[in-house]
Amino acid sequence: MKLKKVVEGLEELYPLFLKEEWDFPGLVLGDEEKECKKIFFALDPTEKTAIEAKDWGADLMVTHHPLFFKAVHLIPSSNPHGRVASTLLSSGCALWVGHTNVDASFRGTNEALCARLGILDPEPMEPLGEISGHPVGMGRIGELKEAVSLEEFASFCQEKLPRAVQGSKMAGDPKMKVKRVAVMSGAGDSFLDKALELGADAFLTSDLRHHPSLDAIGKASALQRPMGLVDVSHFSSESPWFDFALQDVKNKLGGKVECRPSRICTDPWREIFI
Ligand SMILES: [Zn+2]
């Protein structure tokens, strides 16, 4: 199957128009006329994951995070992004990025996170309409089957999500009851107010900062509507997408491609042993 057809399939599953305005997902590198049989999935396009894709003989690497977040003018191989590009191009491997369009899609990162954590009937926190009867948009909010305490929910997240150094942190009353849960895979502190407005008992996301977190807890208690926060690593909140993506992409392409995930944890943090 030609890369062009593979890209069409990916963009039917994860339409590019669902992206955020500042984001530029899509085919970054590659010859659309070339045959594509092996698709390699990784969260980040780093030199290590590019080498892993090359060693497997991948024709296409699909990543969630962009190779370039900003416009660039120079990509020599002395620059980390240039190194990824030259590693992939020299081995004939294309790169397709599905970023905020995947976050918003049906069976994208946020729905995969809900599925992993048993959050039922997830609806977008910020709806963008429906595609083929499925609601799409940023974030998701749904309900746990049974109410649990915030500390039970946070430890359940730690147990169920891919392991990274950070584990799971919580803010708020550990004994408060949690049933209605909002999630935003990746860095989600811009959705703290939205989670509160939607009546979430807990908001799970990554990369929560000190001041926005304190403000959110303060606002919730001033409204006498407590909301707990659960912060997991960025890597842990987005990796569950591969549970869905590998199967969905293979099915979409009529089983004519081989798909495999990266085995490298691209979480940058490491523990300190003294
Ligand atoms: Zn991310």
Side-chain angles (χ1 to χ4, degrees):
M1 180 177 288
K2 289 205 169 156
L3 178 62
K4 191 175 189 316
K5 284 273 160 209
V6 171
V7 169
E8 280 171 16
L10 284 164
E11 294 177 7
E12 278 174 30
L13 289 170
Y14 312 111
L16 298 184
F17 64 82
L18 293 176
K19 74 178 186 71
E20 296 285 290
E21 203 181 306
W22 48 266
D23 196 21
F24 294 90
L27 187 65
V28 180
L29 305 169
D31 177 351
E32 289 167 285
E33 295 305 317
K34 199 173 163 271
E35 280 299 302
C36 179
K37 288 190 189 125
K38 293 173 86 173
I39 308 179
F40 181 84
F41 289 76
L43 198 64
D44 294 284
T46 65
E47 190 180 358
K48 283 186 180 169
T49 56
I51 291 171
E52 198 186 9
K54 175 182 175 177
D55 290 348
W56 183 56
D59 301 304
L60 171 65
M61 175 149 96
V62 168
T63 64
H64 180 49
H65 288 136
L67 179 58
F68 307 112
F69 274 92
K70 293 177 189 164
V72 292
H73 302 286
L74 306 166
I75 51 164
S77 56
S78 53
N79 140 331
H81 300 131
R83 268 190 117 64
V84 172
S86 62
T87 301
L88 292 175
L89 288 174
S90 67
S91 65
C93 182
L95 174 66
W96 184 87
V97 168
H99 191 214
T100 52
N101 55 315
V102 170
D103 294 330
S105 289
F106 173 59
R107 288 175 67 82
T109 49
N110 282 295
E111 292 201 358
L113 183 56
C114 288
R116 191 69 88 94
L117 298 176
I119 298 167
L120 306 172
D121 305 321
E123 294 281 334
M125 292 176 75
E126 206 169 72
L128 291 172
E130 282 193 0
I131 296 180
S132 309
H134 303 295
V136 292
M138 290 307 279
R140 290 292 183 276
I141 184 161
E143 299 218 341
L144 299 174
K145 200 170 169 193
E146 284 170 18
V148 292
S149 68
L150 177 62
E151 64 187 346
E152 283 168 335
F153 179 62
S155 63
F156 180 71
C157 294
Q158 175 147 322
E159 184 194 316
K160 291 288 174 189
L161 295 177
R163 194 65 207 224
V165 164
Q166 181 193 307
S168 162
K169 294 186 288 193
M170 65 177 169
D173 175 3
K175 302 291 176 206
M176 69 170 284
K177 285 289 164 203
V178 171
K179 191 161 199 301
R180 187 165 165 76
V181 179
V183 305
M184 174 63 72
S185 60
D189 57 16
S190 61
F191 274 71
L192 282 162
D193 285 344
K194 192 78 189 168
L196 190 58
E197 185 192 308
L198 294 171
D201 299 319
F203 179 45
L204 177 137
T205 187
S206 305
D207 303 341
L208 279 177
R209 289 172 298 156
H210 180 92
H211 294 298
S213 306
L214 276 181
D215 284 353
I217 300 279
K219 274 185 202 168
S221 76
L223 292 167
Q224 298 190 317
R225 177 68 190 80
M227 182 175 78
L229 303 178
V230 178
D231 184 287
V232 298
S233 82
H234 200 119
F235 179 85
S236 306
S237 73
E238 292 181 332
S239 300
W241 174 48
F242 301 126
D243 295 352
F244 283 170
L246 265 76
Q247 202 55 53
D248 292 349
V249 169
K250 190 166 182 165
N251 292 346
K252 183 78 191 171
L253 301 173
K256 291 179 188 142
V257 291
E258 196 181 339
C259 295
R260 74 149 264 212
S262 168
R263 297 194 179 96
I264 294 172
C265 173
T266 50
D267 184 288
W269 305 107
R270 295 290 175 265
E271 279 173 284
I272 300 168
F273 296 101
I274 299 174

